[in-house]
Amino acid sequence: MRDHSKNRLALITGRYAARQQEKLAGDRQAFDDAFRAARDAVIRPVLDEIAAELRSAGHAPRVACDEAPETPSIELLLGIRGVSAAPRGDLIAFSVIQRRAAPEILAYLVVRPPPMDLLRFASAAEISAYQVEQLVVDAIEHIFACRSI
């Protein structure tokens, strides 16, 4: 079996195990607390660094956290120079959602055309700075491409 396939299977089974563990624990508060910890330690520093780069290119990005108990999240609003502020547009976000039995962390972007889910995490422990950086830079490229049309 190729290493790539082995790595994918390890990721799939790891996510499954994490979901089962979270499901058995049934503790949404612990899940949200783990997300907030990952948000503050991993996601926010990456978004702040990317926002600084966008600022140096003349844009007006902003990082915002939603502390609502039912929907903890963090967003990078791009503030693209020369584009009028679209309500709830041109942003990349990470948010806790619960559309299934166990909560998940959803990474998504909002741009015209409609919003697009990027990646789901079964637990906050899966989130790495490398993943966040790559995902956000790819999403920014997509948003700028949509705005260039």
Side-chain angles (χ1 to χ4, degrees):
M1 182 182 285
R2 295 177 306 153
D3 286 344
H4 174 74
S5 295
K6 286 180 184 179
N7 291 337
R8 284 191 61 207
L9 285 173
L11 182 61
I12 291 165
T13 57
R15 285 180 179 165
Y16 178 79
R19 283 189 181 118
Q20 293 304 311
Q21 182 181 6
E22 301 253 347
K23 188 175 174 182
L24 292 174
D27 188 354
R28 172 64 191 264
Q29 184 61 46
F31 188 91
D32 290 353
D33 290 345
F35 168 76
R36 286 183 183 97
R39 178 192 65 197
D40 296 342
V42 179
I43 301 170
R44 180 151 204 149
V46 173
L47 295 185
D48 285 338
E49 189 174 358
I50 290 171
E53 290 297 317
L54 290 171
R55 258 185 229 98
S56 70
H59 303 287
R62 184 169 59 92
V63 177
C65 290
D66 183 350
E67 293 296 341
E70 65 279 357
T71 57
S73 66
I74 186 167
E75 300 175 340
L76 171 62
L77 298 97
L78 298 185
I80 300 172
R81 179 183 60 229
V83 173
S84 60
R88 299 294 308 148
D90 298 338
L91 66 89
I92 298 113
F94 293 79
S95 181
V96 174
I97 62 167
Q98 185 145 5
R99 295 184 184 149
R100 299 182 178 120
E104 298 176 293
I105 299 163
L106 175 66
Y108 64 96
L109 66 88
V110 178
V111 66
R112 282 180 285 166
M116 176 181 6
D117 293 356
L118 298 172
L119 189 59
R120 292 175 190 247
F121 300 92
S123 73
E126 293 180 21
I127 302 171
S128 72
Y130 174 80
Q131 285 177 305
V132 171
E133 180 180 312
Q134 189 62 50
L135 185 136
V136 171
V137 170
D138 289 347
I140 289 170
E141 180 179 28
H142 178 78
I143 290 170
F144 272 77
C146 287
R147 286 297 183 183
S148 298
I149 296 174

